Amino acid sequence: MTKKKITEYRSHLQDVLAAPEGAHIAALFDFDGTIIAGYSATAMLWEKIKRREMTAEEVVETINVMAQYSTGNMGFSGLMTGAAKFMKGVTEESYFEFGEELYEKHIARKVFPEARALIEAHRAKGHTIAIVSSATIYQIEPTARDLDIEHVLCSQYEVENGEFTGNIIRPLCFGEGKVLAAENLAADYGLDLDQSYFYSDSYDDIELLERVGKPRPLNPNTKLREAAREHGWPLEKYESRGQGKPVDYIRTIYATGSLIGSAIASLPIWALTGSQREAMNFSTGLFGDIATALTGCELEVTGEENLWTSRPCIFVFNHQSKADVMILAKLIRRDMGGVAKKEVRDTPIIGKLMELAGTVFIDRANAGSAIKAMAPLIDAVKNDGKSIVIAPEGTRTLSPKLGPFKKGAFHMAIQAGVPIVPIVIHNAGDVAPKNEFLMRPAKVRVDVLPAVDTSKWSARTMNQHVAEVRGMFLEALGQAEEEDALEALVNEEQTPGNKTGGGPPERASAKPKKPATKKTASRKKAEAQKASPKKTVTKKAVAKPSVKRSTPNSKSAAAETPAMEAAK
C-alpha cells in the first residue's frame, strides 16, 4: 500500500498522528477561516461586483445587510434570507458554474497547506471526514472535491425546477443547526461524536465545539480564543495564507528581482571569457541560490545524485507554483534550456533574460507551431549537450494533485535519444500557490527519480510510456491509490445497465428527496471528467466521485465510498 507522507506541523497535527484509528471517529471541519483563509462569500461578492452582475441597489443593500450582521443587529438567518431574495429566478446550474470559477480564481490559493496536511492525517487514520459549514455548496464543493472530502453539510437555498425560489431551507447549518447536521451524519454512519474532532475559527460554532469530544479551535477569533482558554482547549493558528506580512512582500519582490541581478552579475564572465553559456550557467545557479534564500524556501532533496548521472537528458517536473523556477534553477544549475508559454516572452527584461538562457516560448493553443518551436531544443541536446526542463502538465495546477500529461517532452526524448529524469516536487504550493503573488517560507520536499531509458521507445507505444512515467510521479506523490479508486469507480459506473451511464452520481437538489435535473447531472459529469487526472493517456476519462451534501435535517441517500487511506 502506498504511504503518503505528511508535512509535519505543530499541535493539532501531532495530536492526530497519535490518535486511534477507525471510521467511527469523525473529523469535522468548518470551511471559511478554517480550511481556507478569509471568507468565500466575500470573494463571491467582489467577483460579482467586478463582473457587474449586481445592480447598484443590490450592492448597497447587500453591504447594509452584511453591516447589520457584523454589528449583531441581524442574525445569520436574516443574512441568508437577504441574500436569497436576490437569487430568485436564477438557475442553480449557473451558481455551480460560478462556484467552479470562483474556486479557480480565488479560493484554491486560499487553502491552508497545514489544513491539507491535517485532513490527510485524519484520512491516514481512517477517520470519517466532513465539512460542516454555514456557507453554501456552491462555495464549498470544488474545494471539497480537491481535498477528497465526500461529506459536506451546509446551508442551502430552496430550488424548484432548477431555479432559486428566493427562500432558504431551514434549519440552516449554523449554531445549533451544525449540531443537528453532525448528529444526523453520526446516525447515518455510526460515528461517535464523543471521540470526534471539530475544527473551527469562530465562536459562532461554540455549540458543536462543546458537543464533540475533541474540540479544536483553529485560527480562532478573539471570542473563541477566550472561550478556548476557559475550557482548556488546544489552539493553533496558521499564517501561511491570507494577508501577508510586509516582510513577505519584500522577500517576494527581491526574489523576483534577483533574476535580473543574477544576470547582471554574470556579465563580466561573458565579457572576459566570451562564453555566453558559462555566463548563463553562473547566472542560473546564482539565481536559484539567492531566490530560495530570500524566500526562505528550504529544499529537502532525495535522490540528488540523479540530477547529474544521466546528462544530457530531459528533466520533467510537476508544476504547482511560480516557485518551481527558482527550485529547478537551484537543483539543475547549469547547461539547461526550457519551455515556457509565449506570454512570458513579453514580460519586460525577464522575458529577454529567459530567452538568452535558452528558453523556447510556445503557443500552447497551436500544437503544430509548438512542435516546430521546440526543434532548436533538440539540436541543443544533441549538439551542445544541454538538458531540457519541461512540465508535461503544460501549466501550473491549482492543487498538489497531478494533472494529465502532454506528450511533447516524451517525443523530445525519443528524437534527441536521451533519457528522461523525473523531478517530483511535493509542495511548492506552500511557497506560492497558483494565482498568488506572495511567496512565503516553506520546506519543500523534492524527489529526483532515477533516469528512465528511452532508447527502445517509439511513437507507437508512446501512450504506455507516458502512463509509466506519470505513474512514477503518482507513486512518489502518494496519489496512486486515489487514482486507482477513481478508475475503479468509473469502470463500475460504465458497466452496461448502470443508470449513471459512466458519469458520477447526480447531485442532490437543494430540497431533500428532489432529484437533480438532467442538465445538472450532465454538467457535473463533464466537469469531473475534465478536471480529473488520468492514469493512462487515452481518451477514457476518469470521473470524480460526487460530494455528498445535506441540510441539518436531511440524510445522505447514497452509500458511503470507502475512505482512501494514506499514512505518515
Side-chain angles (χ1 to χ4, degrees):
M1 181 177 292
T2 302
K3 300 297 183 183
K4 184 177 291 187
K5 296 179 181 178
I6 298 172
T7 306
E8 291 194 2
Y9 296 94
R10 296 172 290 117
S11 186
H12 291 342
L13 178 59
Q14 297 301 323
D15 178 44
V16 175
L17 294 177
E21 300 181 356
H24 65 288
I25 297 174
L28 310 176
F29 288 82
D30 180 38
F31 185 65
D32 294 306
T34 304
I35 289 178
I36 67 168
Y39 297 93
S40 54
T42 304
M44 180 176 281
L45 175 62
W46 283 117
E47 184 65 22
K48 293 188 74 171
I49 292 174
K50 188 168 72 172
R51 295 179 177 197
R52 299 181 180 179
E53 293 179 355
M54 297 180 71
T55 66
E57 180 184 353
E58 289 174 339
V59 171
V60 170
E61 188 166 348
T62 298
I63 293 174
N64 179 52
V65 168
M66 293 176 67
Q68 290 188 59
Y69 173 71
S70 63
T71 57
N73 295 323
M74 177 184 289
F76 183 73
S77 179
L79 178 68
M80 288 290 289
T81 300
K85 72 177 185 178
F86 294 129
M87 299 167 63
K88 185 176 182 179
V90 177
T91 64
E92 184 185 31
E93 183 70 14
S94 68
Y95 257 72
F96 277 120
E97 293 171 354
F98 183 44
E100 294 290 343
E101 293 179 28
L102 199 70
Y103 170 74
E104 293 181 8
K105 290 183 178 180
H106 302 284
I107 296 178
R109 62 188 171 90
K110 294 179 180 291
V111 176
F112 287 109
E114 300 95 331
R116 190 182 292 275
L118 189 60
I119 290 165
E120 290 300 336
H122 278 292
R123 183 170 288 115
K125 292 291 182 176
H127 297 166
T128 299
I129 304 169
I131 293 174
V132 187
S133 172
S134 57
T136 65
I137 192 67
Y138 320 106
Q139 297 154 252
I140 301 171
E141 185 186 52
T143 305
R145 190 173 64 238
D146 167 40
L147 297 171
D148 293 318
I149 296 177
E150 185 181 15
H151 304 287
V152 171
L153 293 78
C154 60
S155 297
Q156 294 190 45
Y157 299 116
E158 185 180 65
V159 176
E160 288 184 356
N161 299 320
E163 294 183 351
F164 294 110
T165 66
N167 299 318
I168 58 175
I169 296 178
R170 300 177 188 273
L172 294 168
C173 197
F174 181 82
E176 192 63 35
K178 283 195 176 184
V179 178
L180 283 171
E183 288 178 341
N184 285 338
L185 184 72
D188 287 348
Y189 293 97
L191 309 178
D192 184 352
L193 292 182
D194 291 334
Q195 295 187 54
S196 296
Y197 299 77
F198 177 48
Y199 300 91
S200 175
D201 70 307
S202 176
Y203 186 81
D204 291 336
D205 292 332
I206 192 67
E207 291 96 335
L208 185 52
L209 285 164
E210 291 178 336
R211 172 64 183 85
V212 299
K214 296 181 179 180
R216 296 293 183 265
L218 184 56
N219 309 319
N221 59 21
T222 301
K223 195 171 182 181
L224 179 57
R225 190 182 304 114
E226 293 172 355
R229 287 169 179 164
E230 290 177 6
H231 286 82
W233 296 338
L235 295 168
E236 187 165 13
K237 181 175 177 62
Y238 299 154
E239 296 182 344
S240 59
R241 292 291 182 266
Q243 187 66 33
K245 300 176 182 178
V247 68
D248 295 322
Y249 287 90
I250 293 172
R251 72 168 78 245
T252 300
I253 293 169
Y254 271 86
T256 304
S258 68
L259 178 62
I260 299 172
S262 300
I264 293 173
S266 71
L267 292 178
I269 297 176
W270 192 353
L272 295 173
T273 67
S275 174
Q276 179 182 340
R277 181 168 179 169
E278 285 305 315
M280 289 298 101
N281 285 342
F282 176 80
S283 176
T284 299
L286 184 61
F287 165 66
D289 291 339
I290 293 176
T292 53
L294 285 172
T295 56
C297 176
E298 180 184 348
L299 300 186
E300 183 181 295
V301 184
T302 302
E304 191 168 3
E305 66 279 4
N306 295 322
L307 290 167
W308 304 99
T309 55
S310 301
R311 295 197 187 193
C313 64
I314 307 297
F315 288 107
V316 293
F317 70 100
N318 55 313
H319 198 10
Q320 300 175 6
S321 169
K322 64 181 181 180
D324 294 336
V325 175
M326 65 182 184
I327 290 170
L328 292 167
K330 184 175 179 66
L331 291 174
I332 300 173
R333 306 196 72 81
R334 60 179 298 113
D335 299 331
M336 59 184 283
V339 177
K341 58 184 180 181
K342 67 175 183 178
E343 292 80 4
V344 176
R345 181 170 48 193
D346 299 327
T347 305
I349 303 177
I350 291 177
K352 187 61 178 178
L353 289 175
M354 291 180 67
E355 189 173 11
L356 288 172
T359 301
V360 168
F361 301 96
I362 63 172
D363 181 359
R364 292 183 303 196
N366 188 330
S369 67
I371 292 171
K372 184 177 180 181
M374 287 193 288
L377 291 178
I378 297 172
D379 292 337
V381 175
K382 288 181 174 180
N383 302 327
D384 301 330
K386 281 192 173 184
S387 295
I388 306 303
V389 186
I390 188 168
E393 292 164 297
T395 187
R396 284 175 288 173
T397 56
L398 288 167
S399 78
K401 289 188 176 180
L402 194 66
F405 275 13
K406 301 179 185 298
K407 300 177 184 178
F410 302 89
H411 282 295
M412 191 181 297
I414 292 177
Q415 293 175 46
V418 296
I420 281 179
V421 176
I423 300 178
V424 184
I425 305 174
H426 287 259
N427 58 311
D430 290 7
V431 178
K434 185 176 182 178
N435 299 325
E436 179 63 77
F437 169 73
L438 287 183
M439 291 194 279
R440 292 177 168 89
K443 178 182 286 188
V444 178
R445 292 189 300 109
V446 180
D447 293 334
V448 185
L449 306 183
V452 179
D453 182 17
T454 66
S455 60
K456 297 181 181 179
W457 286 14
S458 69
R460 184 176 55 83
T461 57
M462 181 60 69
N463 285 350
Q464 174 188 338
H465 305 312
V466 173
E468 288 172 353
V469 173
R470 188 169 180 275
M472 295 168 67
F473 276 84
L474 288 168
E475 186 74 20
L477 291 167
Q479 297 174 15
E481 287 181 22
E482 297 174 16
E483 189 135 324
D484 288 343
L486 290 173
E487 182 168 331
L489 176 67
V490 172
N491 289 339
E492 180 180 345
E493 289 173 344
Q494 290 178 336
T495 301
N498 190 313
K499 293 182 180 180
T500 61
E506 295 183 356
R507 283 193 183 99
S509 70
K511 292 183 79 173
K513 298 184 180 180
K514 179 182 176 182
T517 63
K518 290 183 180 179
K519 181 180 179 183
T520 300
S522 62
R523 187 192 67 78
K524 183 171 183 184
K525 174 182 175 181
E527 281 183 358
Q529 290 175 335
K530 180 180 178 182
S532 313
K534 302 175 183 179
K535 186 169 186 181
T536 57
V537 182
T538 66
K539 292 183 180 180
K540 178 181 176 182
V542 178
K544 288 274 189 181
S546 65
V547 173
K548 297 178 183 176
R549 60 190 174 97
S550 65
T551 52
N553 61 350
S554 67
K555 295 185 178 182
S556 301
E560 181 181 14
T561 301
M564 292 177 287
E565 293 185 355
K568 293 181 281 182

